[in-house]
Amino acid sequence: MPNFNIDSQKARTYDAIVIGSGMSGGWAAKEFTEKGLKTLVLERGRDVKHNVDYPTTNKMPWEFEHRERMPREVVEANPIQSKCYNFKESAAHFFIRDQDQPYVQEKPFDWIRGYQVGGKSMLWARQTQRWSKYDFEGPARDGFAVEWPIGYDDIAPWYSYVEKFAGITGNKDGLDALPDGEFLAPHEMTCVEKYFKEKVAGTYKDRHIIIGRAAHLTDPQQIHYDQGRAKCQHRVMCERGCPFGGFFSANASTIPWAMKTGNMTLRPHSVVHSIIYDEKKQKATGVRVIDANTKEMTEFYARVIFVNAAAINSNLILLNSTSSRFPNGLGNDSGTLGRYFAFHNYRARISGEYEGFLDTTTDGRRPNGSYIPRFRNLYKQETSGPASRFLRGYAAGFSAHRRSGSDRDSLGASLKESLLHPELGNWSVGSHMMGETIPKESNYLALDPSLKDPYGLPQLKINVAYDDNDEKMVKDYLEQMTEMFTMAGFTNLRTSDSKQAPGLDIHEMGGVRMGKDPKTSMLNKWHQLHEVPNVFVTDGASMTSTSTQNPSLTYMAFTARAANHAVEEMKKKNL
């Protein structure tokens, strides 16, 4: 007589389980399945298939009922998600509804979320800069946060590995503050961006203006064609889903790549409740999953578990994974789980005009901008001058485009002529800051003891705020950029501080930080929980500090490195 219980458990057992199918989860799935591991990928949201589930990708502006603007009642019903610049009629279906997943804001925090296969890789800004050795050395140098257990040399080969597969456009600028990568052909800077680059280089030895580095296929290689992707068409409608696969997303790249190996089982609508810890075996054995539609709980088992649910949800899963051995969350002997949470400070902006180059303009679109790498407190903590007032530093975006306007009140031939030949004005110039925040114990995530979400899970409490260091950094950014813009002859300068709450940067990091000492950190140098080595966390939750670069490329490199280490350890029977 067959033993149905054993057969059922066997059917739910895999070599590896990956929680999350977005930016980092997709990479874990790719690495495991390529190497022959039967892999279960759990995604709490719906499936979104490349080129199948992009309902607005080829719509014209007049085909949207509200010309891409969201109706007032939708905005009012979603006060958090609607703050994101991509929450519009063409892409709002890739965001959750605020009411679907409530959380507790002990301090204001805008938690922007996209629950679907591919996660927020459908919505990201696609900027991809490497960290430098100075970024990894920052915490050890100034004593805030713990020392990273790895350095640039450890991760550099993996940056190259993921860049070649994802496709990164950029220029080899030769800056030690921002190491070069495996670049496809760069986008072109506008003439005013080039002018500003020359003016800054002639005035400041340590400041540089470069074209942005971004995950767009400007010159696709065979590995990209093998993924079914093609050259970026510069449509600049990436948030709708790109039918060409012109930018990197998990949907267009890593997930279908893993699927075609035949080794991946993708299970959408799977909300992870917790990770199962076996106290006799002293390791994790699987995960508990709630079906988002039926609310039924099911257990799945594997030798290795990768947690890639995006930073905040990865914290939630570990906090909710309690046992007699770990009453305060899985692997949380240090008491640091959920703490030392950080983000990027995007509050400050400056804009202006330039009256030169009036005989030139731009043509077409560019899915990229120019970039100012960090120049404050880079090599050392300054002890005098303005930069000594705060720790760490900031990078900045920069762009310049020719202003144009059309008379849209006219009719017939006059209207057509006005649209075809708009009146050109001065050049508009602008910049925004991307500041590093310091991970602090007082910035934390925790589980509410009484409030539950629709799946019966504890609601997450978020207690994260700016500090005096952030305020001083905003002030310095505005002072320095005002000086640089004035030096370049830009006029009509306008500065602003949005005072936006943390979270809208969508660069959540920390809570499950890496470190050398198990007493002060959660993860070792391979992203394994110190106390539960067959559980890995490789998304933003694992970050020890934040630096100033957009973080997704680093998550991808971390994940590929950790997954390959896990496979080697499994071969050695260490996992």
Side-chain angles (χ1 to χ4, degrees):
M1 182 175 179
N3 189 326
F4 293 112
N5 286 334
I6 293 177
D7 289 345
S8 174
Q9 182 168 332
K10 186 176 180 180
R12 288 178 281 117
T13 300
Y14 299 82
D15 296 317
I17 292 175
V18 178
I19 303 172
S21 63
M23 196 67 76
S24 61
W27 269 96
K30 170 188 173 296
E31 296 304 307
F32 285 139
T33 57
E34 271 185 334
K35 293 167 179 60
L37 271 64
K38 296 297 183 184
T39 304
L40 174 65
V41 178
L42 298 168
E43 167 53 51
R44 65 178 298 149
R46 64 188 175 95
D47 195 6
V48 171
K49 286 186 169 57
H50 179 54
N51 260 343
V52 174
D53 297 312
Y54 301 159
T56 61
T57 189
N58 287 319
K59 275 193 171 184
M60 295 297 175
W62 56 86
E63 295 181 284
F64 292 97
E65 183 178 0
H66 306 96
R67 301 294 187 267
E68 290 203 63
R69 299 184 65 179
M70 297 302 291
R72 176 181 296 178
E73 60 270 24
V74 177
V75 172
E76 291 177 348
N78 296 276
I80 299 170
Q81 306 306 308
S82 62
K83 292 179 182 176
C84 180
Y85 61 94
N86 273 334
F87 190 83
K88 49 191 176 183
E89 208 170 16
S90 57
H93 48 282
F94 291 137
F95 292 79
I96 71 162
R97 295 181 300 175
D98 284 344
Q99 65 186 28
D100 289 347
Q101 192 65 41
Y103 63 102
V104 179
Q105 299 182 61
E106 292 190 331
K107 295 176 182 174
F109 186 92
D110 294 323
W111 187 8
I112 307 299
R113 289 165 285 176
Y115 290 164
Q116 61 259 324
V117 169
K120 289 178 289 190
S121 75
M122 294 294 297
L123 299 165
W124 68 312
R126 309 169 306 285
Q127 288 293 300
T128 44
Q129 310 96 8
R130 292 186 179 200
W131 280 35
S132 74
K133 60 177 291 189
Y134 309 107
D135 300 304
F136 285 100
E137 293 172 354
R141 191 176 65 204
D142 60 30
F144 281 80
V146 295
E147 188 175 348
W148 278 87
I150 60 174
Y152 178 72
D153 290 342
D154 296 302
I155 200 66
W158 296 98
Y159 274 135
S160 293
Y161 181 76
V162 298
E163 286 166 344
K164 289 176 183 175
F165 189 84
I168 306 297
T169 173
N171 185 57
K172 290 188 179 296
D173 300 293
L175 306 175
D176 57 357
L178 203 71
D180 292 333
E182 309 291 337
F183 295 144
L184 304 174
H187 289 118
E188 188 173 359
M189 301 171 79
T190 67
C191 59
V192 174
E193 291 167 353
K194 292 177 182 175
Y195 162 77
F196 188 48
K197 173 186 176 79
E198 292 172 1
K199 293 293 289 185
V200 168
T203 307
Y204 307 93
K205 290 188 296 185
D206 61 345
R207 304 183 188 187
H208 308 277
I209 316 297
I210 64 173
I211 186 64
R213 299 166 180 181
H216 284 266
L217 298 183
T218 54
D219 179 22
Q221 305 296 300
Q222 188 58 48
I223 188 62
H224 308 121
Y225 293 130
D226 291 345
Q227 297 169 43
R229 300 169 60 199
K231 187 174 182 177
C232 171
Q233 304 296 302
H234 290 203
R235 301 186 333 146
V236 195
M237 297 189 293
C238 311
E239 71 281 357
R240 301 183 185 187
C242 180
F244 303 95
F247 77 91
F248 174 86
S249 69
N251 308 73
S253 180
T254 48
I255 291 297
W257 188 269
M259 185 64 81
K260 73 180 182 180
T261 66
N263 291 322
M264 182 176 78
T265 299
L266 178 62
R267 195 175 193 276
H269 304 294
S270 298
V271 180
V272 173
H273 174 280
S274 56
I275 295 171
I276 303 166
Y277 181 76
D278 188 313
E279 300 196 8
K280 290 183 178 177
K281 295 179 180 177
Q282 297 185 347
K283 66 178 183 180
T285 54
V287 299
R288 301 181 185 90
V289 173
I290 301 169
D291 187 293
N293 296 316
T294 66
K295 305 296 193 291
E296 180 182 1
M297 177 93 79
T298 307
E299 293 184 353
F300 295 93
Y301 309 98
R303 290 172 61 189
V304 166
I305 298 166
F306 264 56
V307 185
N308 300 93
I312 294 178
N313 275 325
S314 289
N315 274 272
L316 188 156
I317 290 168
L318 294 183
L319 286 165
N320 201 45
S321 301
T322 56
S323 60
S324 298
R325 169 67 181 86
F326 296 111
N328 299 313
L330 188 65
N332 191 20
D333 284 358
S334 64
T336 61
L337 177 59
R339 296 193 175 272
Y340 301 99
F341 197 79
F343 56 97
H344 278 156
N345 181 354
Y346 270 61
R347 281 174 28 191
R349 290 180 177 273
I350 183 171
S351 63
E353 297 181 26
Y354 186 58
E355 298 179 8
F357 294 101
L358 295 182
D359 57 341
T360 61
T361 186
T362 57
D363 186 30
R365 301 176 178 180
R366 183 186 63 181
N368 201 351
S370 289
Y371 184 81
I372 306 173
R374 172 185 170 188
F375 54 87
R376 288 305 218 190
N377 296 319
L378 178 65
Y379 302 108
K380 64 177 183 178
Q381 174 62 45
E382 299 295 335
T383 56
S384 62
S388 66
R389 297 178 300 195
F390 55 89
L391 296 171
R392 315 286 170 84
Y394 50 80
F398 174 74
S399 64
H401 66 276
R402 191 80 188 270
R403 298 171 63 182
S404 65
S406 302
D407 178 11
R408 304 195 177 199
D409 293 329
S410 57
L411 296 171
S414 174
L415 174 60
K416 185 183 293 184
E417 174 62 22
S418 178
L419 292 173
L420 290 174
H421 301 97
E423 182 178 349
L424 297 175
N426 290 334
W427 285 80
S428 291
V429 296
S431 172
H432 64 279
M433 77 173 292
M434 296 172 280
E436 177 173 6
T437 66
I438 305 299
K440 301 180 293 292
E441 187 174 14
S442 57
N443 278 351
Y444 66 85
L445 312 175
L447 300 183
D448 189 279
S450 56
L451 295 174
K452 303 292 184 183
D453 74 3
Y455 309 102
L457 292 165
Q459 285 192 27
L460 198 68
K461 295 190 298 184
I462 301 180
N463 189 314
V464 176
Y466 297 103
D467 63 13
D468 184 58
N469 196 69
D470 301 319
E471 301 296 337
K472 290 176 178 174
M473 200 181 295
V474 167
K475 183 174 184 294
D476 187 76
Y477 164 83
L478 293 175
E479 289 176 351
Q480 297 307 311
M481 293 306 298
T482 297
E483 179 183 296
M484 292 161 66
F485 274 30
T486 301
M487 174 275 302
F490 301 157
T491 59
N492 196 21
L493 303 186
R494 297 174 295 277
T495 61
S496 64
D497 178 355
S498 70
K499 303 288 187 183
Q500 67 191 43
L504 199 53
D505 50 287
I506 325 180
H507 289 177
E508 307 97 350
M509 288 175 264
V512 195
R513 67 181 182 184
M514 299 172 73
K516 294 181 176 178
D517 188 349
K519 295 179 181 176
T520 58
S521 62
M522 292 288 295
L523 304 172
N524 68 13
K525 65 179 181 180
W526 296 108
H527 293 255
Q528 297 166 278
L529 286 175
H530 288 299
E531 310 301 334
V532 192
N534 69 327
V535 175
F536 294 70
V537 182
T538 64
D539 60 14
S542 67
M543 301 295 277
T544 303
S545 61
T546 71
S547 190
T548 60
Q549 290 87 321
N550 297 59
S552 293
L553 181 70
T554 299
Y555 302 164
M556 291 192 256
F558 278 169
T559 304
R561 175 177 177 269
N564 279 270
H565 175 72
V567 171
E568 292 303 313
E569 290 297 289
M570 292 171 78
K571 289 178 181 176
K572 298 174 185 174
K573 309 295 184 184
N574 292 333
L575 292 175

